[in-house]
Amino acid sequence: MTKQAYVALVTCFNEDETINYKATRAQVRRQVEAGNNIMCAGTNGDFSALTFEEKVRLTEEVVDEVGGRVRVIVNAGMPATFETLKLAREFDRIGVDGIAVITPFFIACTQDGLIRHFSTVADAVKTPVYLYDIPARTQNHIEPETARTLAGHGNIAGIKDSGGAKETLDAYLQVAKEVDGFEVYSGPDHLVLWALEHGAAGCISGLGNAMPHVLAGILKAFNAGDIAEAERQQATFAAFRTDLYALGFAPAMVKRALFLQDASVGASRQPALLPNKEQDGQIAEILRRYHLG
């Protein structure tokens, strides 16, 4: 099976923080040309700061710009099952390739509650549903046994693991070995190649916004059986990640790095600490070091 790379696409904003759909389309084209699939309205896309209506239009714009050239997954996850269902039905209507559902945030969930939440969404749509585990952000973790239970649902196709621990990723990969058709996608950028070598269907990367060709290069080399080249590309990707993420909150650093390459992407709506001139200088130096400036 050919492994797939997705980029967790940034959402571009104007100076007044309205969505810049034209610039977002340009970022879609950039990723498609590099050979990457698209995930929109995810963590790197400021999903928690987007309105319901914006998420729907954003997905329509992305799907239209892609034009069937690559696959599109969109995140519908919200704290309440009610709104998650409403979004998932809209994305089902639009015609995406997959609907990711991040674990509910703010609300502490039991594993039984997570099973009910994900199953209810998967029951309501025809589009394949992908679980999305990122406990550092949501405080809710999909235990491997819960993933195994949900993998038996006819419309739950896989999981995106953004926990960052090899042990959890390995446990999800074991579920994929036991349940035919259940796919695991790795989120942590330093584990892309490791995950591929251990059976992952691919990766969903935030860092790929700033380094799309290197991300695509890892997958291209791996799919071609050129492990030495895949290792070389992964080493570059991991080193860039280490340098950039040392400066602050990862999605904010990715967005700022991309902004310094192309100001049309705008800032972020998130109330995170905005980079200052000193930090911008550090990011610019990192970009030059990796020939991205």
Side-chain angles (χ1 to χ4, degrees):
M1 180 183 72
T2 301
K3 311 290 186 175
Q4 301 286 328
Y6 287 80
V7 166
L9 193 75
V10 299
T11 301
C12 301
F13 295 105
N14 297 303
E15 288 189 11
D16 64 358
E17 294 194 7
T18 55
I19 296 180
N20 185 334
Y21 293 105
K22 180 179 179 181
T24 301
R25 281 177 174 263
Q27 290 303 313
V28 170
R29 291 193 297 274
R30 178 169 171 261
Q31 294 297 337
V32 172
E33 288 163 5
N36 298 318
N37 299 288
I38 303 293
M39 177 181 177
C40 65
T43 304
N44 280 270
D46 285 278
F47 86 93
S48 62
L50 303 180
T51 68
F52 182 96
E53 292 76 17
E54 285 174 332
K55 290 175 185 175
V56 173
R57 181 177 170 187
L58 176 66
T59 302
E60 290 173 333
E61 298 264 354
V62 169
V63 169
D64 180 69
E65 188 62 47
V66 164
R69 291 174 291 170
V70 299
R71 292 173 57 81
V72 177
I73 292 176
V74 58
N75 170 44
M78 291 297 288
T81 307
F82 178 80
E83 186 171 3
T84 303
L85 272 173
K86 286 185 66 179
L87 278 168
R89 285 175 173 139
E90 286 293 313
F91 300 153
D92 199 40
R93 172 188 62 79
I94 292 167
V96 297
D97 297 287
I99 298 172
V101 179
I102 198 169
T103 50
F105 42 97
F106 186 75
I107 301 163
C109 296
T110 65
Q111 295 300 301
D112 284 344
L114 290 177
I115 290 171
R116 287 194 298 272
H117 177 74
F118 290 117
S119 297
T120 299
V121 177
D123 286 342
V125 295
K126 295 179 180 178
T127 305
V129 168
Y130 291 85
L131 315 175
Y132 181 1
D133 189 66
I134 183 168
R137 301 285 168 250
T138 68
Q139 307 304 310
N140 285 308
H141 170 53
I142 303 169
E143 296 289 347
E145 281 302 318
T146 299
R148 184 176 285 102
T149 297
L150 289 166
H153 188 291
N155 197 36
I156 292 179
I159 187 168
K160 179 194 177 188
D161 170 45
S162 291
K166 286 183 178 179
E167 294 78 11
T168 301
L169 180 54
D170 200 44
Y172 290 152
L173 289 167
Q174 184 59 40
V175 174
K177 292 175 184 176
E178 297 171 4
V179 182
D180 188 45
F182 187 75
E183 299 177 331
V184 177
Y185 289 88
S186 174
D189 294 301
H190 64 297
L191 295 178
V192 173
L193 182 56
W194 186 91
L196 297 177
E197 290 176 326
H198 287 78
C203 66
I204 301 177
S205 167
L207 194 64
N209 282 288
M211 205 177 241
H213 292 284
V214 174
L215 173 64
I218 298 170
L219 275 291
K220 182 179 179 180
F222 183 85
N223 286 325
D226 189 348
I227 302 304
E229 176 62 15
E231 289 175 344
R232 187 186 72 81
Q233 298 275 15
Q234 175 67 80
T236 300
F237 206 51
F240 180 58
R241 172 190 180 274
T242 297
D243 291 346
L244 185 63
Y245 290 4
L247 300 180
F249 179 54
M253 293 304 100
V254 169
K255 186 68 178 288
R256 196 64 184 176
L258 189 56
F259 174 84
L260 294 178
Q261 296 177 73
D262 180 358
S264 72
V265 301
S268 170
R269 272 187 186 170
Q270 304 286 4
L273 179 66
L274 293 177
N276 53 34
K277 289 185 179 179
E278 180 182 357
Q279 193 172 54
D280 276 356
Q282 292 173 313
I283 295 172
E285 173 55 33
I286 291 169
L287 292 173
R288 285 192 292 272
R289 194 181 312 153
Y290 290 91
H291 308 290
L292 298 170

